Amino acid sequence: MHRCPATLKFELDVDKLGMRTEFDQIILSLSRRINVKCLIIDSTGDIFYKLPTSFFLIQGLESLELMGCDFEPPLTFNGFKKLRNIHFENVWVLAEELQHFFSSFPLLEEVVLIHFDKEYVDEKSINFGTFF
């Protein structure tokens, strides 16, 4: 509810506070701001945090770090145009969605993918040569 001209960095530790439904409201609030530059969502507990649709409306992002999240972009999602750095760790995502997601970043400089085994996306289900 705090009103300020810029939110440069925002970090959510979903599991520490145990308020998953409240986090959906926080992300909705962030999606209405223009100046969210860095967003970190950490849900490294037992349950993946399903990102709400409002997450995909955040447009000022330059750096995104997701841990333990269920990543399902809506069909209308056109990417984060200012995104430069991506860090995905234990993110549940389909290979096709990941390829489409990464193809929409003209300024992308750094990609970190950690712990994408057979339960997640792996090199057998995505062609990393054509991907990059």
Side-chain angles (χ1 to χ4, degrees):
M1 303 305 270
H2 177 67
R3 304 224 188 268
C4 63
T7 303
L8 298 179
K9 181 177 179 180
F10 199 87
E11 185 169 350
L12 294 172
D13 191 331
V14 178
D15 296 308
K16 279 190 179 173
L17 297 177
M19 305 181 326
R20 289 175 180 264
T21 55
E22 287 83 354
F23 284 126
D24 290 355
Q25 292 300 316
I26 292 170
I27 291 173
L28 177 62
S29 176
L30 291 175
S31 72
R32 295 178 177 150
R33 296 173 187 254
I34 297 170
N35 293 319
V36 178
K37 301 291 183 198
C38 176
L39 181 60
I40 301 168
I41 300 177
D42 184 350
S43 179
T44 52
D46 294 335
I47 301 171
F48 281 78
Y49 173 62
K50 183 174 182 351
L51 296 165
T53 305
S54 58
F55 165 81
F56 299 96
L57 299 175
I58 301 172
Q59 288 303 308
L61 284 178
E62 293 178 10
S63 180
L64 175 62
E65 188 171 334
L66 299 178
M67 293 164 282
C69 293
D70 184 353
F71 186 85
E72 296 179 43
L75 295 175
T76 56
F77 179 64
N78 292 320
F80 300 115
K81 301 302 180 197
K82 296 182 179 181
L83 199 63
R84 295 179 181 274
N85 303 302
I86 298 172
H87 176 113
F88 279 8
E89 184 173 340
N90 292 335
V91 173
W92 181 261
V93 60
L94 296 175
E96 304 83 42
E97 290 174 343
L98 189 65
Q99 277 186 294
H100 177 72
F101 178 69
F102 282 124
S103 69
S104 60
F105 305 121
L107 303 175
L108 192 60
E109 297 172 356
E110 179 182 41
V111 175
V112 176
L113 303 174
I114 298 174
H115 197 238
F116 280 80
D117 60 18
K118 64 184 176 182
E119 295 178 24
Y120 312 102
V121 172
D122 66 4
E123 62 271 3
K124 294 176 187 150
S125 60
I126 190 166
N127 183 338
F128 281 102
T130 58
F131 177 74
F132 292 106

